[in-house]
Amino acid sequence: MDALDIIANLQHVIPYYQAIFSADEHRVIGYEVLGRYESGEHVDSLGPFFHDETIPEEFRLEVDETVTKKALDHFLSNGDSRLLIFLNRDANLLMIDRAESFLTLLFQYEEKGLSLDRIVLEINEQHFKGDFDQLSHLLTYIRTYGIRVALDNIGEHSSNLERISLLAPDILKIDLRELRKTSASYSYQDVLYSISLLARKIGATLLYEDIEASFQLQYAWRNGGRYYQGYYLAEPKPELLPADFLKERLREECHRFIQQEKKKLQTLYNISEQFQQRITALLAKYKKSADFNELIVAIATELGDACFRMYVCDEDGFQRSANIFKRNDTWELQPEYYMKNWSWRPYFLENIIRMRSRKRGILSDLYADIETGETIRTYSYPIDECHYLFIDLSYSYLFEHDAHY
């Protein structure tokens, strides 16, 4: 499409609407407005037009305003007054007049009955080339009118968590396309996990976008997604959908996710209970061991089917035994680990308190082992009031017992 043809034929510029669904109500809660150009039987995306920096700014602004006006007219005449309206804007263009033209347009529609708290301004911070402090101030000002801010395509490339925090968005739109690439999925999930932690800290709602398969929807559900969007749920359309368009299907999928998650949690509970019983019995059997090294050697020989490393720490995280490590099916003591301190590890002291108060062992989440790089879980068990046994379970054992995810 030629930019001049588009400008000369604005009557062919139309909005399309891609539905956004909620996790709590399983209904349509809003739409992202997307620009399209209608030519005969063909409808083409205006995405390339808006992203082409060789096209004059005034052209892109004019087309953007045309799409927005037609969309807002449509929402006022046809839409549910509760629906959120996601409007994409180039942050670089927004800064040219400090969003004056954008806000002026919205004020015109406010006079027609549009509540500005329905508007979600959607920007891509990764494409912004200006001063982030100034952008942050502008977004703060825009919010004074009840308008929410969403950052788009989070995770698509290397997202800057400091910038995200500075802009303090109301909504983070997390891109799930990368999850379809097997080679990148594990590292990408780690990135998304970090982003989800940040969202919780700054109070931002997670919207997972580009959902194209059931497993991506399940990932979004499992990882704190309140809102969902993508072709798996609904493609962009020239008209709005009924609010309950996918209600039954989403309820069915959610029920399936819940059943799978409960099965997973039951499996982990069973493993933890089995180790509770095994370790209790082994500690009773070897209670006369001369020291902790002798104790872990004895226990390791009986847990060779499940673990590859074992050691004892005190309540402050100082290691009171050597490591016993399984290499090529042979156990070996590593005395150099004696008196190393592990209190700096996430959740270490918290888990010590939990074990002490409950007098029970704990099975950790999955994590990558620092030394081997293997995905593992650790089972921790209180030997007495001051000492705790740590048993690193191998991935092969977790895989055999469906505890590897």
Side-chain angles (χ1 to χ4, degrees), residues 154-156 175-176 178-179 184-192:
I154 300 296
E156 182 182 26
D175 184 355
L176 289 185
E178 286 291 321
L179 284 186
S185 62
Y186 287 110
S187 59
Y188 190 64
Q189 287 182 45
D190 291 338
V191 171
L192 297 189

Side-chain angles (χ1 to χ4, degrees), residues 160-365:
N160 188 312
L161 300 186
E162 184 179 352
R163 288 206 303 248
I164 294 173
S165 182
L166 175 66
L167 298 179
D170 302 286
I171 297 172
L172 288 180
K173 296 191 69 176
I174 298 182
D175 184 355
L176 289 185
R177 276 179 293 186
E178 286 291 321
L179 284 186
R180 296 176 67 87
K181 302 176 183 178
T182 306
S183 59
S185 62
Y186 287 110
S187 59
Y188 190 64
Q189 287 182 45
D190 291 338
V191 171
L192 297 189
Y193 179 69
S194 298
I195 293 171
S196 68
L197 290 180
L198 174 62
R200 184 178 178 184
K201 290 288 186 182
I202 64 176
T205 297
L206 293 181
L207 189 165
Y208 286 92
E209 60 179 337
D210 294 307
I211 295 174
E212 299 178 356
S214 178
F215 82 92
Q216 291 171 308
L217 178 61
Q218 184 170 12
Y219 179 91
W221 171 83
R222 188 190 296 127
N223 289 276
R226 184 179 183 186
Y227 301 140
Y228 313 133
Q229 182 184 19
Y231 276 49
Y232 179 71
L233 303 171
E235 296 182 8
K237 300 284 186 182
E239 298 293 336
L240 306 184
L241 300 171
D244 295 337
F245 174 68
L246 284 185
K247 191 155 195 166
E248 289 307 312
R249 179 180 141 195
L250 283 174
R251 282 187 171 177
E252 290 172 4
E253 295 232 32
C254 186
H255 177 71
R256 179 167 58 84
F257 299 159
I258 291 170
Q259 294 304 108
Q260 291 177 0
E261 193 69 13
K262 286 166 69 175
K263 181 181 177 182
K264 167 191 167 184
L265 293 173
Q266 185 64 52
T267 297
L268 296 178
Y269 175 80
N270 291 342
I271 290 175
S272 186
E273 284 298 296
Q274 290 167 12
F275 269 93
Q276 178 77 23
Q277 295 170 15
R278 289 179 74 176
I279 303 305
T280 300
L282 288 172
L283 287 175
K285 180 178 179 180
Y286 298 111
K287 63 182 178 181
K288 294 183 179 180
S289 298
D291 56 31
F292 288 132
N293 281 350
E294 185 177 319
L295 176 65
I296 62 175
V297 168
I299 294 177
T301 57
E302 301 212 33
L303 291 179
D305 62 311
C307 67
F308 68 94
R309 184 195 290 122
M310 192 181 306
Y311 52 96
V312 175
C313 284
D314 65 20
E315 61 186 345
D316 292 331
F318 287 97
Q319 192 160 324
R320 294 296 179 172
S321 73
N323 272 7
I324 186 165
F325 187 83
K326 190 176 185 181
R327 196 190 309 275
N328 299 327
D329 294 327
T330 301
W331 288 105
E332 60 180 56
L333 280 173
Q334 299 174 315
E336 64 270 21
Y337 285 88
Y338 179 69
M339 287 305 291
K340 285 199 173 187
N341 185 269
W342 306 111
S343 61
W344 55 269
R345 284 181 169 171
Y347 310 114
F348 184 93
L349 294 177
E350 178 183 336
N351 287 338
I352 291 293
I353 299 302
R354 287 173 61 194
M355 286 189 283
R356 178 191 293 171
S357 61
R358 299 178 184 178
K359 295 179 170 53
R360 295 185 62 82
I362 294 174
L363 185 66
S364 78
D365 292 336

Side-chain angles (χ1 to χ4, degrees), residues 3-17:
L4 292 175
D5 288 340
I6 294 173
I7 290 296
N9 296 280
L10 291 178
Q11 70 274 17
H12 295 305
V13 170
I14 59 172
Y16 263 46
Y17 311 94

Side-chain angles (χ1 to χ4, degrees), residues 41-91:
E41 297 181 357
H42 299 286
V43 178
D44 298 306
S45 170
L46 285 172
F49 172 87
F50 289 126
H51 296 145
D52 188 347
E53 296 183 0
T54 64
I55 296 174
E57 295 166 352
E58 59 270 23
F59 284 12
R60 287 181 282 156
L61 287 169
E62 186 175 2
V63 174
D64 223 345
E65 186 171 302
T66 300
V67 172
T68 302
K69 284 181 176 179
K70 291 183 178 181
L72 295 181
D73 286 337
H74 190 66
F75 278 109
L76 283 177
S77 60
N78 300 292
D80 183 333
S81 62
R82 298 173 297 170
L83 290 173
L84 297 177
I85 304 168
F86 287 69
L87 300 176
N88 287 283
R89 284 295 182 274
D90 184 324

Side-chain angles (χ1 to χ4, degrees), residues 388-402:
Y388 301 84
L389 179 65
F390 292 85
I391 303 169
D392 290 338
L393 309 182
S394 65
Y395 184 81
S396 58
Y397 176 83
L398 297 175
F399 186 84
E400 289 170 8
H401 293 79
D402 291 326

